[in-house]
Amino acid sequence: MKNKIRIAAAVVCLAVVVFGIISVVKDKKELTLATNEYDNIRSTYADLQAHGSAGDSENDGYPDLAVDIEGLEKTNPDITAWIYMPCLEISYPVVKEKEIDEYLNKTFEGQESYAGSLFEDVLSDENFCGMHDMIFGHNMKDGSMFGKLKEVYSSKKADILKENPYVYIYTRDTVYRYEAFAYEITTAGSDAYSEVNDNDEYDRFIDYVLSNNQWGSGKEKTFENRPSILSLSTCSGVTGGKKRFVIHTFKESQKEVR
């Protein structure tokens, strides 16, 4: 009986080890697939050298970036924009989910990967003209997707957002420039994810954000004109946990795409 128990235990342990190895190999394969896919998309549809520089244009303060949204639409009609955050070198297509978590484990080209996509939730405005729009992305260990957002509160790079607080959203016709003014470590389902549809809800949301702002050197900003808010959200802490890290930005300016 004891021998049978030992054999059974050994079999279970072996199965656990084999399952773990298979999971690691699968995860690595999916990550490589996603990395190659987004590198190819970036090089094909988002030209950082369009005007000879990857930095801000000397003429208007916007990055020298040309994005082929029409070309991207042929691959995935769910695309709504391209996001570019220079200080963290975040540069990806953004899709809008039609159902909850549709793109949580699906790449832009529709392949299965735990890297998923950067996506707007079902309640956000696809034209980025809502009172509060949101983009979600995984906190990848290799820094891809929204994995670099954690650098904002890193002791080694505490001033990275202060030095360049801008997020650029490229749509078919317009480039929107957002400026970060607050961030917080919160939990899934908190008021950081509030749906905002009228002025009263907007004012309550801003009061919440400013009251929970953890950016010690955050920008002082008044919101009488109620500019559109864009929040960037990713996981924080243990994988599968409820902690979230959110950066809140407001629409500072815009220009038409030529």
Side-chain angles (χ1 to χ4, degrees), residues 94-252:
V94 178
V95 294
K96 186 171 181 357
E97 60 181 13
K98 297 185 290 292
E99 56 186 55
I100 296 175
D101 293 342
E102 177 183 2
Y103 279 95
L104 196 63
N105 296 299
K106 183 168 70 172
T107 68
F108 180 79
E109 294 180 352
Q111 302 193 67
E112 181 181 352
S113 172
Y114 70 99
S117 301
L118 298 189
F119 62 91
E120 284 189 89
D121 72 308
V122 294
L123 299 176
S124 293
D125 182 71
E126 64 180 16
N127 297 311
F128 288 86
C129 293
M131 299 188 87
H132 180 210
D133 298 319
M134 292 174 276
I135 298 177
F136 296 83
H138 284 302
N139 179 9
M140 302 298 290
K141 291 182 179 179
D142 68 345
S144 61
M145 311 313 289
F146 273 173
K148 289 184 178 180
L149 290 187
K150 57 181 170 285
E151 293 183 11
V152 167
Y153 58 89
S154 167
S155 59
K156 295 180 180 180
K157 296 187 176 182
D159 292 331
I160 193 169
L161 197 60
K162 182 179 179 181
E163 294 167 358
N164 189 346
Y166 298 110
V167 177
Y168 300 87
I169 296 293
Y170 290 75
T171 66
R172 177 192 285 266
D173 302 314
T174 308
V175 184
Y176 297 108
R177 181 165 68 186
Y178 293 82
E179 182 175 341
F181 67 96
Y183 66 69
E184 60 180 298
I185 295 177
T186 184
T187 56
S190 75
D191 287 343
Y193 303 98
S194 295
E195 182 180 2
V196 179
N197 294 307
D198 58 42
N199 290 343
D200 288 340
E201 290 179 350
Y202 184 98
D203 294 341
R204 286 195 295 272
F205 174 65
I206 292 298
D207 285 342
Y208 163 83
V209 172
L210 296 179
S211 296
N212 290 273
N213 183 15
Q214 296 171 16
W215 184 7
S217 300
K219 296 281 185 178
E220 293 296 330
K221 167 69 181 174
T222 57
F223 292 88
E224 291 90 348
N225 295 329
R226 299 186 178 91
S228 295
I229 303 298
L230 175 64
S231 297
L232 312 180
S233 175
T234 192
C235 294
S236 179
V238 180
T239 302
K242 293 185 177 181
K243 282 190 175 183
R244 300 290 184 268
F245 178 65
V246 184
I247 296 177
H248 300 288
T249 72
F250 68 91
K251 188 179 291 181
E252 183 256 8

Side-chain angles (χ1 to χ4, degrees), residues 76-87:
N76 188 342
D78 290 339
I79 187 169
T80 58
W82 187 279
I83 184 173
Y84 179 47
M85 190 173 184
C87 72

